[in-house]
Amino acid sequence: VKDVNETGPAFYTLRYERRLTSENRLLEIPGANYRATVFADGAEVSSLNPFGGLFARRRYVLPPNVTTLAIEVAPPDHCGSPTCSDPTAVCGQGGDHQLARDVTAQYSLGWDWMQAMPDRSTGFFGVPTLTAAGVRLEDPAVLTTALDCASACGARSGASLMLLVTVANDGPENASGAVRVDVAGESYELPFEDVAPGSS
């Protein structure tokens, strides 16, 4: 299998196409190595998270009435070489280390006993999903901000918790409502008002 340096990045650029039969308009890609470009009926769609890189989660709001969705995934910008051209240079784990200029898995250029991956692991990491656009909750987290302990936590007397959650609106109109949280049998409502379309 030829290395990307021999073939050029276009050889390992992948394109996935699909006909759409539903009105779902929010495309989420949990991980793609390295650049993901989305096309709706042939027109490029701007990402809500435009940063490239393996670990970047991307969200795209598709325009209404789209019939064909295409996703193109290209190799890293700096594919690097598994060998050093200069015989006096330090080379080995991570090859010539050029891949380290991108936010991606460094082992793709060879690590320990592993050979370099010819395509530098180009493709999806996680399953892309297509859902209805509207109000959604992002990255919920519960943090313990204070823990009251009696005699070195032998008998716990209580804790203070903080809930962090982002309300995002991918719908066409302002959104208002409340997030309901149940903790240890108690319910709390956290209101939100006038979240504009395309914001959080």
Side-chain angles (χ1 to χ4, degrees):
V1 178
K2 292 185 176 181
D3 191 82
V4 66
N5 288 311
E6 296 176 59
T7 64
F11 182 80
Y12 285 112
T13 297
L14 310 171
R15 186 176 177 95
Y16 305 89
E17 283 196 27
R18 169 173 201 165
R19 300 273 305 156
L20 299 182
T21 57
S22 69
E23 287 298 314
N24 291 341
R25 294 185 46 231
L26 179 66
L27 172 66
E28 295 188 79
I29 301 175
N33 194 31
Y34 182 75
R35 295 229 177 259
T37 307
V38 174
F39 300 91
D41 291 334
E44 187 174 333
V45 178
S46 296
S47 172
L48 299 178
N49 312 89
F51 178 71
L54 168 61
F55 308 103
R57 293 179 292 177
R58 297 165 179 86
R59 291 184 179 95
Y60 302 85
V61 177
L62 303 179
N65 305 316
V66 170
T67 58
T68 305
L69 173 67
I71 305 172
E72 196 172 272
V73 182
D77 297 339
H78 306 93
C79 290
S81 174
T83 59
C84 288
S85 56
D86 180 358
T88 63
V90 177
C91 200
Q93 303 214 110
D96 65 359
H97 308 290
Q98 287 301 303
L99 189 62
R101 295 173 66 186
D102 296 327
V103 182
T104 188
Q106 301 306 300
Y107 63 81
S108 295
L109 199 48
W111 209 265
D112 289 338
W113 63 89
M114 204 171 89
Q115 295 292 318
M117 295 174 194
D119 68 349
R120 304 301 186 263
S121 298
T122 300
F124 291 119
F125 285 75
V127 178
T129 57
L130 193 59
T131 57
V135 176
R136 62 187 159 80
L137 303 180
E138 290 182 351
D139 307 321
V142 177
L143 306 177
T144 303
T145 58
L147 182 62
D148 297 326
C149 288
S151 65
C153 293
R156 291 185 179 94
S157 58
S160 296
L161 302 177
M162 177 188 299
L163 171 70
L164 301 173
V165 64
T166 300
V167 177
N169 181 10
D170 300 313
E173 299 174 358
N174 284 8
S176 298
V179 176
R180 182 179 163 192
V181 181
D182 294 322
V183 178
E186 294 187 38
S187 293
Y188 303 92
E189 292 223 348
L190 310 169
F192 59 89
E193 291 185 16
D194 294 327
V195 180
S199 67
S200 55

